[in-house]
Amino acid sequence: MKIARFHTADGPTRLGRVDGQQVTDISDVVGGTSLRTVLPLLPSLKQAILAADGPSHPLADVFLEAPIDNPQKYLGIGMNYKEHAEEARAAGIPVPENQMWFNKQVSCITGPYDTIVKPDLSDAIDYEIELGVVIGQRCKHVPVEDARSVIAGYLVANDVSVRDWLQKKSPTFTLGKSFDTHGPIGPWLTTDDEIADPLNLRMTLTVNGEVRQDWPTNDMVYDIYEQIAYLSQVFTLMPGDILATGTPAGIGAPQGRFLKVGDVVRAEIEGLGHIENRVVAEG
């Protein structure tokens, strides 16, 4: 299933099942409009969702919102693709010996077609396409072999980064990763049962139509199951928590090709759809 949060021109947020170019309202079937609270119930609600025949709208006529509302955590892993790690090493950034995680404050999250604000204080705004993994149930101490069972689904993420606010002004990465609007996700949640192998998906990011990143998800240093096992040793993962699982080579920083006002960034992952965001000036 593909489940979106959306609204019409003057309407409230609703939940919808996406079929091709149509979205069918399922809010009454699932008992609300918070996908985060529905996630643990998705397996038991699947048949009802698939059979729902509520009001239907062309996708072109609705506004898609961030699929996950008010997640408790948005976590990202650094240098988790082999070629990207070498790219970083060549730029003088040490490659970590273990999984390196950072927070993106959840206030950075925006919808799949919302704008990215370029803050006045930096000209080093970078893009990072990532496979977003959404946790579906409360879990702790998850073995690697059981990790897929706690995944609700997947989405496309652009881990927008303010490079000069990463290590220089925020050694934990949190500030440079958390500017408002720097967490576009979407376009919807694609449930795990729709994806045969999340470790074999093509990711492509373009800026103004020029391909900047084009890489498969099978190049991860630590795969998504190892990531879940590692994190769940430390804290409880909750329904709706988002894991940005790493970006491949091709980011702008090594060549100084940073985003400018007016640029259009499109990030697409095979089977999951695409998000597209225009860069605008602050204020």
Side-chain angles (χ1 to χ4, degrees):
M1 299 180 291
K2 293 179 170 63
I3 303 176
R5 293 176 67 242
F6 73 96
H7 63 271
T8 56
D10 299 315
T13 298
R14 307 291 289 176
L15 286 183
R17 184 191 71 235
V18 178
D19 301 297
Q21 295 303 308
Q22 294 287 126
V23 58
T24 299
D25 197 319
I26 62 169
S27 304
D28 294 340
V29 170
V30 301
T33 59
S34 169
L35 182 51
R36 180 173 62 86
T37 59
V38 169
L39 289 176
L41 305 173
L42 276 182
S44 61
L45 289 171
K46 179 178 179 179
Q47 294 308 315
I49 292 171
L50 292 174
D53 59 355
S56 185
H57 310 272
L59 275 176
D61 293 346
V62 304
F63 298 88
L64 292 178
E65 303 178 20
I68 307 300
D69 52 295
N70 302 315
Q72 286 195 9
K73 308 180 197 68
Y74 186 5
L75 304 170
I77 186 170
M79 287 181 275
N80 193 42
Y81 277 71
K82 299 179 182 70
E83 287 295 325
H84 175 51
E86 290 307 313
E87 186 178 50
R89 192 197 306 274
I93 301 172
V95 176
E97 296 181 1
N98 299 292
Q99 295 187 35
M100 184 187 74
W101 287 93
F102 54 85
N103 286 307
K104 282 180 78 76
Q105 297 299 309
V106 296
S107 54
C108 79
I109 293 174
T110 56
Y113 305 113
D114 292 342
T115 55
I116 294 170
V117 174
K118 177 193 170 300
D120 292 338
L121 54 71
S122 178
D123 291 319
I125 315 304
D126 210 345
Y127 50 83
E128 295 186 13
I129 188 172
E130 310 214 5
L131 171 66
V133 170
V134 179
I135 300 299
Q137 59 182 273
R138 181 187 178 107
C139 57
K140 184 81 184 289
H141 296 300
V142 182
V144 171
E145 60 269 21
D146 295 337
R148 188 161 185 177
S149 69
V150 306
I151 297 174
Y154 311 94
L155 46 77
V156 183
N158 184 354
D159 176 21
V160 181
S161 304
V162 182
R163 293 291 177 204
D164 52 355
W165 275 71
L166 290 179
Q167 291 173 309
K168 292 180 181 178
K169 296 188 178 182
S170 175
T172 65
F173 279 25
T174 297
L175 296 185
K177 295 286 190 175
S178 298
F179 279 70
D180 289 347
T181 76
H182 287 193
I185 59 173
W188 38 68
L189 178 77
T190 300
T191 55
D192 176 68
D193 59 331
E194 281 218 358
I195 302 300
D197 183 2
L199 300 178
N200 189 30
L201 303 176
R202 198 87 194 173
M203 302 190 297
T204 307
L205 182 140
T206 63
V207 178
N208 303 326
E210 177 192 357
V211 175
R212 299 283 184 89
Q213 294 180 286
D214 186 6
W215 218 259
T217 56
N218 63 13
D219 189 46
M220 292 184 187
V221 178
Y222 305 101
D223 69 34
I224 60 179
Y225 313 121
E226 293 170 314
Q227 293 176 37
I228 290 170
Y230 191 82
L231 290 172
S232 67
Q233 296 177 91
V234 180
F235 43 66
T236 301
L237 293 172
M238 300 295 291
D241 286 353
I242 302 169
L243 311 182
T245 59
T247 196
I251 61 169
Q255 294 82 34
R257 303 184 74 190
F258 295 117
L259 296 174
K260 304 180 298 298
V261 170
D263 284 347
V264 176
V265 187
R266 178 185 171 109
E268 183 170 4
I269 299 180
E270 178 185 358
L272 307 184
H274 76 275
I275 63 176
E276 186 170 296
N277 311 95
R278 182 178 294 275
V279 181
V280 300
E282 187 171 17

